[in-house]
Amino acid sequence: MNYLKFTQYVYLVFGAYFVYDGITKLNNPALGGSPWLSFIIAAVAVFMFFFRRKFAKKFEDRNKKS
């Protein structure tokens, strides 16, 4: 169960990668694909990081009470 504390940071890694990918596609349109899709995926990844962090905190507080 301890690994769940670290898996939330994977979302930040994916978010950083997709921001990099979006900037690369924005600067070089010959690469193909939409840079905005990469930015949207990065935003979802950052949202998921904060969502998982809040959920893990709530779960931990519930376990401390019982």
Side-chain angles (χ1 to χ4, degrees):
M1 189 79 166
N2 195 15
Y3 67 91
L4 289 177
K5 291 182 181 179
F6 300 109
T7 56
Q8 63 187 351
Y9 294 105
V10 173
Y11 289 111
L12 285 181
V13 172
F14 280 120
Y17 170 74
F18 280 110
V19 166
Y20 169 75
D21 186 48
I23 290 172
T24 304
K25 287 178 182 178
L26 196 61
N27 289 334
N28 189 0
L31 292 176
S34 173
W36 305 114
L37 181 61
S38 295
F39 291 135
I40 291 170
I41 293 172
V44 169
V46 171
F47 168 76
M48 285 299 296
F49 166 75
F50 286 112
F51 179 77
R52 290 283 306 248
R53 188 174 177 183
K54 183 179 178 181
F55 183 75
K57 178 75 172 161
K58 190 183 295 187
F59 189 73
E60 184 178 312
D61 288 343
R62 189 181 75 183
N63 282 341
K64 283 183 182 180
K65 285 184 179 181
S66 54

